[in-house]
Structures are given as C-alpha cells and as structure tokens.
Amino acid sequence: MKSHQTKTFAILLSLGILTTPLSAFAITGLYAGALGGLNVSQFSFSPAPSGATMASGKSFAGGVAVGFPIMPLLGLEVDAVMAQQALSMDVSTTAAGYTFSYSADMKMNHLQIPVLVRFGFLDMFSVGAGLFYAMGLGDISSDESISVTNGGATVQSTSKTTTVTYDKAKMSKSVYGAIASGTFMYSFMPMLSAGVDLRYLMGLNNLYTGSGGSGYSAGTKITVSNFQALASVRLSI
C-alpha cells in the first residue's frame, strides 16, 4: 500500500514539474543573474547624537544572484551584492556671535550576502524571505566641510575628503539581519528573463562598538537598513 502511494506521489510530482510554465522556472528554477540599481540606506540612532542632525542617503547597489530549485514554484537564492551605505551629518552651534557649522557625507561599502527562499506564482511574480550577512570593505570615506560665520559673513570655510578605519570610527564592519523581496520577471526569450527586484534588508545588530564620547552615550545603538530597487536579468540553466 505504501509502495503504491509512493508511486502515485512520484507521478503527480513529475506531472507538476512537466506542466509548470517555463517562465515559472525562470523565477524559482536553476538560474544565474545580475542585479543593479538604487540603494537607499536608513541609519537609526538610539539615542540620537547630541547636537547633530543625521540623514541617510541614496547610492548604488549591484551584484550577482544564483537560484536553485527546491520543488515546483519554490526555490533558494543566494546573492552577492555590493551596496554603498550613505550617511550625512550636520552639526551647528553658536557662541559669542559666531556660528560654527560642520557637515560630513560618509560612505561605507558593504558586500551583502543574502540567502532567500522564493515562492513563484502567476508565472511572473515571486516573493522571498531570508537572512543576510554584510561585511564592510575598505575604510569609511567622508567629505567634510567646516565653516565659521559672523553676522552672515563667512569668516572661515574649509573642505576636505578623509578616510577613517571602522575601528577608529567605533563602527562594526559586520551587519546581519532579515531580508524580504518581491520580484516581477518577464521571459522574453526561452532561457532569458528580465524584470525588477524590490527588497528590504533590516539590520538587527548594533554597529556602535564604542563606550560613549564624541556626542554618543554609553548605551548608543546604531542600526542600518536598506531599501533596494534593482533591475534584474536572469539566465535559466
């Protein structure tokens, strides 16, 4: 009896695979692809640095993706994406009639490794969820400007580009968290498809490794999340 049930299940599974549209396998089958587009980084500070205004920025993300089938309409995807994290900081204070202003546009390059389980539906759509790990590459670069004004007149103004190590900035190189993704893929050739991948990466670990000072309290928590809108091209294998 069990042997008969096993054979029946195998036949139904084979029929399901054979009758699954080719475009569905472009979503959850075996494929290799490339990704590229907009990365919006969102830094969260708790509590916020005293006397400073922080703003996240837009940059570029791009990389490669490989997908493996698990079963019809269900697949596993592993990516390697280079994403630049952008953060702006402005500090201004007034004393004795002088206004001192400092601004910095900081950039960090992260190699993100997401692993997602994808479910395909309606031939062209898929949703995915999983985990990611990211590692900072190189140093943190910063475009800085300092100005001193008095009564609207500029007394002093300087600008420079600097680099600082993650250790010196008291920032962790590692980021890990959860990722969610939704894709629309259209097969315009038998083995080639193109579309859009919208994804959100929520960092969960605290990036701040210091113990206070420089406007930060001892219990400061800094996290970073990303929203990405990526163009995607896939080759079904």
Side-chain angles (χ1 to χ4, degrees):
M1 184 67 178
K2 289 184 178 179
S3 176
H4 176 72
Q5 290 176 340
T6 302
K7 290 180 179 178
T8 302
F9 175 77
I11 293 171
L12 291 174
L13 181 60
S14 299
L15 288 173
I17 294 173
L18 290 173
T19 57
T20 301
L22 182 61
S23 56
F25 282 101
I27 295 174
T28 59
L30 181 61
Y31 60 82
L35 304 163
L38 175 67
N39 179 67
V40 180
S41 51
Q42 181 64 53
F43 285 83
S44 175
F45 294 80
S46 179
S50 58
T53 301
M54 316 296 287
S56 300
K58 304 176 182 68
S59 56
F60 177 80
V64 295
V66 179
F68 307 91
I70 299 175
M71 57 186 299
L73 304 183
L74 195 66
L76 180 71
E77 181 178 308
V78 181
D79 304 339
V81 178
M82 182 68 73
Q84 188 176 76
Q85 312 292 352
L87 173 66
S88 297
M89 179 175 65
D90 293 290
V91 180
S92 182
T93 184
T94 300
Y98 290 88
T99 299
F100 301 86
S101 300
Y102 169 82
S103 65
D105 293 322
M106 292 167 279
K107 294 179 175 62
M108 293 160 271
N109 293 319
H110 281 180
L111 177 62
Q112 299 173 337
I113 310 293
V115 179
L116 306 94
V117 175
R118 286 198 179 278
F119 172 74
F121 59 98
L122 298 179
D123 294 353
M124 295 183 291
F125 299 92
S126 79
V127 292
L131 303 173
F132 79 91
Y133 173 79
M135 179 177 64
L137 301 179
D139 294 330
I140 301 172
S141 66
S142 179
D143 295 326
E144 302 176 352
S145 63
I146 302 172
S147 67
V148 181
T149 60
N150 179 267
T154 300
V155 178
Q156 180 182 352
S157 180
T158 59
S159 60
K160 61 180 180 179
T161 298
T162 62
T163 59
V164 61
T165 64
Y166 282 83
D167 287 341
K168 190 172 181 180
K170 300 179 181 179
M171 293 283 284
S172 171
K173 275 192 171 185
S174 298
V175 184
Y176 56 82
I179 177 174
S181 167
T183 67
F184 168 80
M185 301 298 297
Y186 178 73
S187 297
F188 57 92
M189 291 179 64
M191 298 179 65
L192 198 61
S193 60
V196 178
D197 187 339
L198 302 179
R199 49 180 61 187
Y200 182 74
L201 298 88
M202 181 174 65
L204 299 177
N205 62 307
N206 186 8
L207 302 182
Y208 182 61
T209 60
S211 56
S214 301
Y216 296 101
S217 63
T220 293
K221 182 176 182 180
I222 304 175
T223 59
V224 62
S225 298
N226 295 150
F227 169 76
Q228 295 174 349
L230 307 175
S232 176
V233 177
R234 295 179 183 174
L235 176 66
S236 299
I237 302 172

